[in-house]
mmCIF file of all heavy atoms in Angstrom:
data_model
loop_
_atom_site.group_PDB
_atom_site.id
_atom_site.type_symbol
_atom_site.label_atom_id
_atom_site.label_comp_id
_atom_site.label_asym_id
_atom_site.label_seq_id
_atom_site.Cartn_x
_atom_site.Cartn_y
_atom_site.Cartn_z
ATOM 1 N N LEU A 264 50.320 -37.023 -151.259
ATOM 2 C CA LEU A 264 51.737 -37.212 -150.939
ATOM 3 C C LEU A 264 52.592 -36.121 -151.580
ATOM 4 O O LEU A 264 53.608 -35.725 -151.027
ATOM 5 C CB LEU A 264 52.193 -38.596 -151.417
ATOM 6 C CG LEU A 264 51.890 -39.769 -150.479
ATOM 7 C CD1 LEU A 264 52.389 -41.064 -151.095
ATOM 8 C CD2 LEU A 264 52.513 -39.561 -149.113
ATOM 9 N N SER A 265 52.188 -35.649 -152.752
ATOM 10 C CA SER A 265 52.970 -34.604 -153.414
ATOM 11 C C SER A 265 52.971 -33.322 -152.592
ATOM 12 O O SER A 265 53.991 -32.630 -152.490
ATOM 13 C CB SER A 265 52.420 -34.339 -154.822
ATOM 14 O OG SER A 265 51.035 -34.043 -154.768
ATOM 15 N N THR A 266 51.846 -32.978 -151.995
ATOM 16 C CA THR A 266 51.768 -31.778 -151.156
ATOM 17 C C THR A 266 52.592 -31.952 -149.883
ATOM 18 O O THR A 266 53.329 -31.051 -149.466
ATOM 19 C CB THR A 266 50.302 -31.474 -150.793
ATOM 20 O OG1 THR A 266 49.545 -31.316 -151.989
ATOM 21 C CG2 THR A 266 50.202 -30.207 -149.958
ATOM 22 N N VAL A 267 52.476 -33.119 -149.275
ATOM 23 C CA VAL A 267 53.280 -33.416 -148.087
ATOM 24 C C VAL A 267 54.764 -33.317 -148.426
ATOM 25 O O VAL A 267 55.566 -32.770 -147.663
ATOM 26 C CB VAL A 267 52.953 -34.826 -147.549
ATOM 27 C CG1 VAL A 267 53.896 -35.200 -146.413
ATOM 28 C CG2 VAL A 267 51.507 -34.886 -147.065
ATOM 29 N N GLY A 268 55.116 -33.836 -149.606
ATOM 30 C CA GLY A 268 56.513 -33.792 -150.034
ATOM 31 C C GLY A 268 57.030 -32.378 -150.172
ATOM 32 O O GLY A 268 58.176 -32.082 -149.812
ATOM 33 N N PHE A 269 56.200 -31.476 -150.679
ATOM 34 C CA PHE A 269 56.611 -30.085 -150.836
ATOM 35 C C PHE A 269 56.876 -29.435 -149.484
ATOM 36 O O PHE A 269 57.912 -28.809 -149.255
ATOM 37 C CB PHE A 269 55.534 -29.314 -151.601
ATOM 38 C CG PHE A 269 55.699 -27.821 -151.539
ATOM 39 C CD1 PHE A 269 56.868 -27.224 -151.979
ATOM 40 C CD2 PHE A 269 54.692 -27.012 -151.046
ATOM 41 C CE1 PHE A 269 57.039 -25.854 -151.925
ATOM 42 C CE2 PHE A 269 54.848 -25.641 -150.991
ATOM 43 C CZ PHE A 269 56.020 -25.067 -151.432
ATOM 44 N N ILE A 270 55.950 -29.611 -148.547
ATOM 45 C CA ILE A 270 56.108 -29.005 -147.227
ATOM 46 C C ILE A 270 57.321 -29.580 -146.510
ATOM 47 O O ILE A 270 57.987 -28.904 -145.720
ATOM 48 C CB ILE A 270 54.833 -29.199 -146.388
ATOM 49 C CG1 ILE A 270 53.651 -28.491 -147.064
ATOM 50 C CG2 ILE A 270 55.009 -28.660 -144.970
ATOM 51 C CD1 ILE A 270 52.305 -28.777 -146.412
ATOM 52 N N GLN A 271 57.645 -30.843 -146.822
ATOM 53 C CA GLN A 271 58.746 -31.499 -146.120
ATOM 54 C C GLN A 271 60.094 -30.827 -146.356
ATOM 55 O O GLN A 271 61.018 -31.007 -145.566
ATOM 56 C CB GLN A 271 58.831 -32.967 -146.540
ATOM 57 C CG GLN A 271 59.805 -33.745 -145.658
ATOM 58 C CD GLN A 271 60.228 -35.054 -146.274
ATOM 59 O OE1 GLN A 271 59.608 -35.532 -147.208
ATOM 60 N NE2 GLN A 271 61.285 -35.630 -145.755
ATOM 61 N N PHE A 272 60.229 -30.041 -147.413
ATOM 62 C CA PHE A 272 61.505 -29.371 -147.660
ATOM 63 C C PHE A 272 61.905 -28.462 -146.498
ATOM 64 O O PHE A 272 63.070 -28.100 -146.351
ATOM 65 C CB PHE A 272 61.443 -28.555 -148.949
ATOM 66 C CG PHE A 272 61.486 -29.398 -150.200
ATOM 67 C CD1 PHE A 272 60.482 -29.312 -151.141
ATOM 68 C CD2 PHE A 272 62.532 -30.274 -150.429
ATOM 69 C CE1 PHE A 272 60.519 -30.076 -152.295
ATOM 70 C CE2 PHE A 272 62.576 -31.045 -151.575
ATOM 71 C CZ PHE A 272 61.572 -30.951 -152.505
ATOM 72 N N LEU A 273 60.936 -28.077 -145.667
ATOM 73 C CA LEU A 273 61.243 -27.235 -144.517
ATOM 74 C C LEU A 273 62.177 -27.944 -143.541
ATOM 75 O O LEU A 273 63.121 -27.333 -143.011
ATOM 76 C CB LEU A 273 59.935 -26.855 -143.814
ATOM 77 C CG LEU A 273 60.045 -26.045 -142.524
ATOM 78 C CD1 LEU A 273 60.689 -24.692 -142.801
ATOM 79 C CD2 LEU A 273 58.646 -25.849 -141.914
ATOM 80 N N ALA A 274 61.940 -29.231 -143.280
ATOM 81 C CA ALA A 274 62.738 -29.958 -142.285
ATOM 82 C C ALA A 274 64.212 -30.077 -142.673
ATOM 83 O O ALA A 274 65.085 -29.742 -141.872
ATOM 84 C CB ALA A 274 62.133 -31.343 -142.032
ATOM 85 N N PRO A 275 64.541 -30.566 -143.885
ATOM 86 C CA PRO A 275 65.960 -30.675 -144.217
ATOM 87 C C PRO A 275 66.671 -29.330 -144.302
ATOM 88 O O PRO A 275 67.876 -29.255 -144.083
ATOM 89 C CB PRO A 275 65.962 -31.391 -145.567
ATOM 90 C CG PRO A 275 64.612 -31.179 -146.132
ATOM 91 C CD PRO A 275 63.692 -31.132 -144.948
ATOM 92 N N THR A 276 65.924 -28.269 -144.614
ATOM 93 C CA THR A 276 66.547 -26.938 -144.634
ATOM 94 C C THR A 276 66.998 -26.551 -143.231
ATOM 95 O O THR A 276 68.116 -26.050 -143.031
ATOM 96 C CB THR A 276 65.558 -25.901 -145.187
ATOM 97 O OG1 THR A 276 65.185 -26.264 -146.517
ATOM 98 C CG2 THR A 276 66.186 -24.509 -145.204
ATOM 99 N N LEU A 277 66.147 -26.806 -142.242
ATOM 100 C CA LEU A 277 66.526 -26.526 -140.853
ATOM 101 C C LEU A 277 67.641 -27.465 -140.393
ATOM 102 O O LEU A 277 68.557 -27.050 -139.665
ATOM 103 C CB LEU A 277 65.299 -26.679 -139.948
ATOM 104 C CG LEU A 277 64.200 -25.625 -140.140
ATOM 105 C CD1 LEU A 277 62.964 -25.988 -139.334
ATOM 106 C CD2 LEU A 277 64.707 -24.244 -139.755
ATOM 107 N N GLN A 278 67.575 -28.744 -140.818
ATOM 108 C CA GLN A 278 68.635 -29.693 -140.474
ATOM 109 C C GLN A 278 69.969 -29.262 -141.074
ATOM 110 O O GLN A 278 71.021 -29.341 -140.424
ATOM 111 C CB GLN A 278 68.264 -31.089 -140.977
ATOM 112 C CG GLN A 278 67.075 -31.707 -140.268
ATOM 113 C CD GLN A 278 66.466 -32.848 -141.050
ATOM 114 O OE1 GLN A 278 66.997 -33.282 -142.066
ATOM 115 N NE2 GLN A 278 65.332 -33.344 -140.589
#
Side-chain angles (χ1 to χ4, degrees):
L264 277 180
S265 54
T266 303
V267 174
F269 166 58
I270 298 172
Q271 190 197 345
F272 286 123
L273 176 63
T276 300
L277 292 172
Q278 293 162 7

